[in-house]
Amino acid sequence: MQRTVLTARGLSKTYVADGVQTHVLGDVDLDIREGDFTSIMGPSGSGKSTLLYCLSGMDKPTSGSVTFQGEDIARASEAELAHLRAQSFGFVFQAASLVSNLTLFENIAVPGYLKEGRSADQTRAVAQEFIRRMDLEEVAAHLPSQASGGQKQRCAVARAVVNEPALVFADEPTGALNRANSLEVLGLLNELNAEGISILMVTHDVRSAVRGNRILYFEDGGVQGELELSRWDGCTADEAYVREREAMANAWLSSLSW
């Protein structure tokens, strides 16, 4: 049986602005299984990103618990959350959000220096390996302003996993990319998942969502449905294979009136 890497129970989030309450999450119960590639889909404004932020400790839920490695991170201090993010979590967003005055190599390496039990030389070696793996050798010494959108997002993926996290949170990681660059980034995420990194990805794109082996449909502040797929097989992922997975996902989404 698969172990659970992250668990949410009774997770709620309410925002208050000008005296008006907006309930975004309502008593969400959710288990993220170790080694899964989980995609979260749902209408715009349904709370998908808020869910991701509350699960990752980037935002505090109004109530409920988020348990990681036996600890309720919903009640952790900012210092404890910073340590957790540096050691165990990785993040990829729609915008690469690289540090503008650091080279691509430095953007990858800098968070790596926070990894406990690793020397600076080891960190540089790991960063260099990701530069090679992400096909960034030609631009490793360039600033982000000198790199393409696809190169910057591949750099962002490398930065997210340089510390060998247990779980990567990805919020629309291909939303700003063209199809070719999107496929490259998704391929990298599939490779990392095959190596044991759990991935939780918010996406509005069915073709991206079916890269995962589990899709959750989120609406009205909660999980309204779940679809289990076989694990992505990159060796046989031709157009017919992709279309078959898309057809399954679209039929399921249609049954949920989306």
Side-chain angles (χ1 to χ4, degrees):
M1 178 180 291
Q2 279 181 281
R3 294 194 303 171
T4 298
V5 67
L6 191 78
T7 299
R9 291 291 180 267
L11 198 66
S12 298
K13 181 66 178 181
T14 299
Y15 293 102
V16 179
D18 297 325
V20 177
Q21 291 187 339
T22 302
H23 303 289
V24 183
L25 305 180
D27 293 322
V28 177
D29 291 338
L30 180 61
D31 294 318
I32 303 301
R33 301 179 309 226
E34 187 175 52
D36 271 4
F37 188 143
T38 303
S39 302
I40 301 177
M41 301 193 72
S44 296
S46 60
K48 302 185 299 297
S49 294
T50 299
L51 175 65
L52 200 74
Y53 297 155
C54 287
L55 291 174
S56 64
M58 287 191 294
D59 197 0
K60 289 277 190 181
T62 304
S63 61
S65 64
V66 179
T67 305
F68 176 76
Q69 295 181 345
E71 300 292 330
D72 183 3
I73 67 173
R75 288 165 175 74
S77 67
E78 287 304 318
E80 290 169 332
L81 288 171
H83 181 266
L84 175 67
R85 288 191 288 263
Q87 304 305 317
S88 301
F89 291 168
F91 300 89
V92 185
F93 303 100
Q94 182 170 333
S97 300
L98 304 179
V99 180
S100 61
N101 62 343
L102 296 182
T103 66
L104 298 193
F105 175 84
E106 290 167 338
N107 267 280
I108 296 170
V110 165
Y113 296 127
L114 300 175
K115 182 69 173 180
E116 294 176 347
R118 181 194 284 169
S119 69
D121 285 343
Q122 288 172 322
T123 290
R124 285 189 286 270
V126 171
Q128 190 59 52
E129 173 58 22
F130 275 114
I131 285 288
R132 182 201 63 76
R133 184 171 177 178
M134 303 292 175
D135 193 23
L136 295 171
E137 291 101 327
E138 293 184 2
V139 294
H142 291 189
L143 296 174
S145 60
Q146 300 168 308
S148 69
Q151 289 167 335
K152 287 188 284 191
Q153 197 67 330
R154 294 202 302 276
C155 179
V157 172
R159 179 184 59 185
V161 297
V162 70
N163 282 349
E164 301 173 330
L167 180 58
V168 168
F169 299 90
D171 190 6
E172 299 280 7
T174 62
L177 301 177
N178 61 28
R179 176 57 64 184
N181 284 322
S182 294
L183 291 176
E184 284 191 0
V185 169
L186 290 167
L188 292 170
L189 291 175
N190 278 123
E191 287 179 19
L192 295 164
N193 178 241
E195 293 166 11
I197 294 177
S198 305
I199 295 174
L200 182 60
M201 179 179 72
V202 166
T203 182
H204 67 278
D205 179 38
V206 174
R207 179 159 283 214
S208 297
V210 299
R211 291 295 189 119
N213 62 287
R214 183 188 188 200
I215 305 177
L216 303 177
Y217 181 74
F218 197 82
E219 190 174 14
D220 297 330
V223 177
Q224 306 299 333
E226 177 178 346
L227 176 67
E228 294 276 356
L229 296 169
S230 61
R231 291 196 174 274
W232 180 264
D233 185 353
C235 295
T236 60
D238 57 14
E239 187 63 22
Y241 175 84
V242 177
R243 288 187 179 279
E244 180 181 2
R245 291 174 75 91
E246 280 189 273
M248 291 176 61
N250 279 321
W252 171 70
L253 289 167
S254 179
S255 73
L256 295 168
S257 301
W258 191 57

